[in-house]
Amino acid sequence: MVKEEVRSLEIYETGPTLTFSMGPQHPGTGHFRMIITVVGDIVVRCDPDPGFVHRGEEKLCEYKTWITNIPHLERPAILDSAGLVYPYVLAVERLMGVEPPERAKYLRVIMAELQRICSHLYWLGLMGVFAGHATMYMWCFGDREYLVDLTQLIGGQRITHSYFVPGGVRNDAPSKVPTELVKDFRRYYRMMLGKDYPGGEVPEDFRKYVLAVCDFFDTRLDEYYPMLLDSPIFIYRTKGVGVLKREDAISLGVVGPVLRGSGVKSDTRIDEPYDAYPYIKFNVPVMDGCDSYSRMMVGYYEMKESVKIIKQAVEQMPEGPVKLKQHPITIKVPAGEVFASAEAARGQCSFYIRSDGTDRPYRVKICSPSFRNLTAMPYLIRDVRIADIPIIYWSLNYWPVECDR
Amino acid sequence: MSSDLEKTLVKLIDDLKKKFGDKILEVNLEPKKVVKVLVAPECVKEVAQHLKSEWKMDYIKGVTGVDLSRLPGNAREELEVIYHVGSLSSEVLKSVTLSLSTKVSISNPVISSLTSVWRGAEMHEREAYEMLGIRFEGHPDLRRLLLPEFWSDKPPLRKDYIPPGRER
């Protein structure tokens, strides 16, 4: 007969503190792990441990040509693929000393802003889930569909479209929208707003259709506000949680809505204007609450500004060519180094590129916004309750793949 | 580029040259592409502190490195360590990223950590440490960040590391 051995369970005898892993299988963190040390349920230490999706993007860039780098460079943040490729394309153009045609500049801006809204809707929806508000998730994802359709209409693909190329964009926007899509949009409009599209028919003309979708989405955004952002439960769970003071935000080098939620007015689109942004009027939302609520509010108002930008860009867009010439797969880029930034959805995304004059880059460094916001995480997730971790984590809009590259 | 910015940058470079003399090895002023100051490795920290206190360069954007050993025409057994810094307090310098760089030998790549100057450099330096093998002296917690624990090979962004399947 086998003698049963009773072993003591040492995991509980850890003294005053307990250390455990949160993630990478935790539904609230994605492919990301935090090693959390707690006393009771108060966090005393957070040690972020990224790298679960690291695939060596930067090394891969050294093996692919300047053009074939574009499709895989948008993989780190597929929700915001335009934002991540934008600085790469700007950097290559600056090295080559070329400038895209006027129409391409506007098309790029429209695409980048559409993807910013798509990414922010994802953020708002998931924040809703983790604040215990699943309806927000349904609404965001339902409305997002029509904006994704718009990117498909322009770029040919729903999410990763490789639309930007050095010297312009890959193809022009269509002049006419498919009838099916217009019908579908009209049905959705009636379902969501409880009335028919004003004036009866939704226009099939591209310009007018984009304006119609923008107007619809703006109305929907107004409905989001009382739904989530003004809800007492959401305010109670986010106000004063994860406070990042102004000075700390600057010294930690955070970017995007996290930086602007801490009261710093900084936006690459304004500070280092590129493409068509100098010709477009928009505001940069800044909140000085420095907490999770402020960050969400910045994200919310940024969507409103993006709608404004798209409307202006569509109306101002001139006719003409959309790229300089058909690029061969192997372009040669003059030797040199360049540092270029663009405002992606999660914040400033920069590329440092060193070229040696051949058909592929010598070194590519991606300063992705999530990586720069990662620095703030151990400082924010400290002296809070375990239940607040998902709220702080999602208020940072952290995207593990973008950080790991 | 506005002339204000041009003047400020020229002033900044002059100031650095006056203060650090021949420790400033090379200067590149092309705001469209890159604004670069190459300094000797032993005085990186002083230059950084000077930039932060005198020129309000308070915002770190990234730390990276380049393996120069396979650069055609100018191959050297050296690593270039680059700090990309900007400013949020100075209105004029807001649109510029300064590349503060230095060169260290590949066999002994050691420079002093700048986490005491820019707190946000912590994770960036950890990444540069594991990807290029640069050791930052005085870093509070110099550990691997992205690569798995079992990784014991060469730093993957060095040119002598060939990823599996990429041998030519």
Side-chain angles (χ1 to χ4, degrees):
Chain A
M1 198 178 153
V2 183
K3 199 181 163 192
E4 267 187 29
E5 270 185 40
V6 179
R7 284 175 297 173
S8 63
L9 288 168
E10 284 181 0
I11 188 168
Y12 296 117
E13 295 167 12
T14 51
T17 63
L18 173 73
T19 303
F20 62 90
S21 278
M22 195 162 178
Q25 273 85 21
H26 190 276
T29 59
H31 329 276
F32 175 71
R33 176 165 78 158
M34 285 176 265
I35 299 159
I36 305 274
T37 306
V38 290
V39 173
D41 78 336
I42 304 286
V43 180
V44 291
R45 185 186 148 90
C46 165
D47 185 11
D49 181 21
F52 287 88
V53 265
H54 178 70
R55 283 293 171 271
E57 281 284 327
E58 292 174 11
K59 189 76 177 176
L60 191 57
C61 285
E62 295 168 17
Y63 287 90
K64 292 194 171 281
T65 59
W66 292 99
I67 292 279
T68 53
N69 268 330
I70 293 171
H72 80 82
L73 276 177
E74 57 190 22
R75 259 64 190 172
I78 51 168
L79 286 173
D80 181 29
S81 46
L84 232 72
V85 176
Y86 215 144
Y88 174 77
V89 173
L90 288 178
V92 176
E93 276 173 1
R94 281 177 201 171
L95 268 179
M96 293 174 78
V98 296
E99 200 163 310
E102 285 296 303
R103 189 176 172 83
K105 289 183 180 176
Y106 282 94
L107 281 168
R108 280 187 189 178
V109 166
I110 293 171
M111 203 58 152
E113 295 304 321
L114 278 174
Q115 297 249 291
R116 185 188 316 280
I117 298 178
C118 291
S119 170
H120 277 11
L121 278 176
Y122 206 102
W123 177 25
L124 203 66
L126 283 175
M127 186 66 171
V129 170
F130 289 101
H133 199 305
T135 312
M136 199 63 238
Y137 176 81
M138 310 292 174
W139 279 22
C140 286
F141 276 66
D143 296 340
R144 186 170 170 267
E145 204 59 23
Y146 290 87
L147 296 155
V148 174
D149 278 343
L150 219 51
T151 55
Q152 184 184 7
L153 203 64
I154 301 171
Q157 288 288 329
R158 291 170 61 75
I159 309 284
T160 52
H161 32 65
S162 310
Y163 189 54
F164 298 6
V165 284
V169 292
R170 214 169 273 280
N171 56 276
D172 202 351
S175 55
K176 195 171 166 292
V177 183
T179 321
E180 285 302 304
L181 188 59
V182 172
K183 265 189 194 165
D184 203 29
F185 175 67
R186 197 173 61 203
R187 196 167 52 237
Y188 189 74
Y189 189 97
R190 196 186 311 126
M191 199 167 79
M192 283 316 190
L193 300 186
K195 57 180 182 189
D196 274 325
Y197 183 77
E201 287 299 298
V202 181
E204 288 189 1
D205 176 57
F206 174 75
R207 243 171 231 245
K208 287 179 184 156
Y209 178 77
V210 174
L211 291 177
V213 174
C214 282
D215 281 337
F216 165 74
F217 183 64
D218 209 24
T219 320
R220 287 289 288 162
L221 274 178
D222 292 339
E223 292 179 0
Y224 288 1
Y225 189 83
M227 173 87 163
L228 179 76
L229 296 156
D230 207 18
S231 127
I233 297 173
F234 184 75
I235 293 174
Y236 183 74
R237 292 220 54 192
T238 52
K239 261 211 172 145
V241 175
V243 176
L244 182 66
K245 289 196 192 86
R246 192 180 190 276
E247 308 78 56
D248 292 340
I250 295 174
S251 73
L252 287 170
V254 297
V255 286
V258 183
L259 184 66
R260 293 192 281 277
S262 293
V264 183
K265 189 168 183 176
S266 161
D267 191 311
T268 320
R269 293 173 291 176
I270 300 277
D271 298 339
E272 309 164 41
Y274 50 92
D275 280 359
Y277 284 111
Y279 318 129
I280 291 172
K281 284 198 188 84
F282 63 101
N283 300 322
V284 178
V286 179
M287 301 282 288
D288 49 11
C290 308
D291 52 8
S292 304
Y293 184 72
S294 294
R295 296 195 271 276
M296 293 314 293
M297 289 302 272
V298 169
Y300 172 77
Y301 285 119
E302 264 183 30
M303 285 197 273
K304 287 217 152 225
E305 294 301 321
S306 290
V307 170
K308 264 197 230 166
I309 296 175
I310 296 172
K311 277 180 170 176
Q312 287 180 46
V314 167
E315 278 173 349
Q316 292 175 16
M317 189 163 65
E319 293 295 325
V322 292
K323 57 187 162 192
L324 290 177
K325 60 174 182 185
Q326 184 63 48
H327 279 292
I329 296 297
T330 50
I331 47 173
K332 283 217 166 70
V333 173
E337 53 188 315
V338 66
F339 186 88
S341 311
E343 189 77 13
R346 291 177 185 78
Q348 186 181 53
C349 180
S350 319
F351 271 72
Y352 169 75
I353 298 180
R354 173 72 72 94
S355 165
D356 57 358
T358 57
D359 59 345
R360 39 200 93 201
Y362 184 76
R363 169 91 171 95
V364 175
K365 159 77 183 165
I366 314 163
C367 301
S368 59
S370 286
F371 190 84
R372 289 173 66 182
N373 286 341
L374 176 73
T375 324
M377 211 178 280
Y379 292 91
L380 286 181
I381 304 180
R382 190 188 284 165
D383 303 333
V384 297
R385 289 184 185 278
I386 296 176
D388 287 334
I389 296 176
I391 296 287
I392 298 173
Y393 175 81
W394 279 103
S395 76
L396 291 175
N397 198 5
Y398 178 78
W399 194 253
V401 198
E402 192 184 271
C403 171
D404 291 2
R405 285 156 279 137
Chain B
M1 185 178 72
S2 68
S3 58
D4 264 8
L5 176 60
E6 206 163 355
K7 273 183 213 152
T8 316
L9 280 176
V10 171
K11 247 194 225 134
L12 190 152
I13 301 293
D14 282 348
D15 179 41
L16 283 183
K17 275 186 180 157
K18 215 161 80 187
K19 184 134 203 296
F20 296 98
D22 55 354
K23 300 278 187 205
I24 309 289
L25 306 174
E26 196 185 306
V27 172
N28 189 355
L29 256 187
E30 264 182 292
K32 258 290 186 200
K33 288 181 186 168
V34 74
V35 179
K36 184 174 170 178
V37 181
L38 186 76
V39 301
E42 63 271 16
C43 72
V44 179
K45 203 165 179 178
E46 286 110 79
V47 176
Q49 266 156 355
H50 183 75
L51 282 174
K52 195 187 174 189
S53 57
E54 300 297 315
W55 292 93
K56 295 185 188 168
M57 291 294 219
D58 51 3
Y59 189 53
I60 181 112
K61 298 188 177 182
V63 180
T64 185
V66 182
D67 183 350
L68 301 174
S69 63
R70 304 278 162 94
L71 205 61
N74 192 22
R76 303 166 80 168
E77 290 296 307
E78 280 176 333
L79 287 174
E80 192 171 325
V81 191
I82 308 167
Y83 284 82
H84 292 294
V85 287
S87 172
L88 284 179
S89 317
S90 158
E91 275 303 314
V92 187
L93 290 173
K94 219 172 180 179
S95 64
V96 148
T97 302
L98 188 106
S99 300
L100 173 63
S101 59
T102 183
K103 283 179 184 170
V104 286
S105 72
I106 278 195
S107 51
N108 186 28
V110 184
I111 74 162
S112 55
S113 163
L114 297 190
T115 39
S116 55
V117 185
W118 295 296
R119 201 150 52 113
E122 196 181 321
M123 296 283 174
H124 296 284
E125 285 184 354
R126 275 176 72 179
E127 197 204 352
Y129 163 70
E130 69 170 350
M131 293 295 172
L132 287 140
I134 304 155
R135 286 198 303 284
F136 294 93
E137 267 180 355
H139 188 283
D141 187 18
L142 200 59
R143 283 181 296 136
R144 282 219 183 99
L145 186 69
L146 297 169
L147 295 176
E149 287 89 355
F150 57 78
W151 189 276
S152 58
D153 214 331
K154 283 178 181 129
L157 284 179
R158 291 251 184 109
K159 287 287 174 184
D160 55 356
Y161 173 79
I162 311 287
R166 291 278 177 189
E167 302 88 359
R168 285 187 211 167

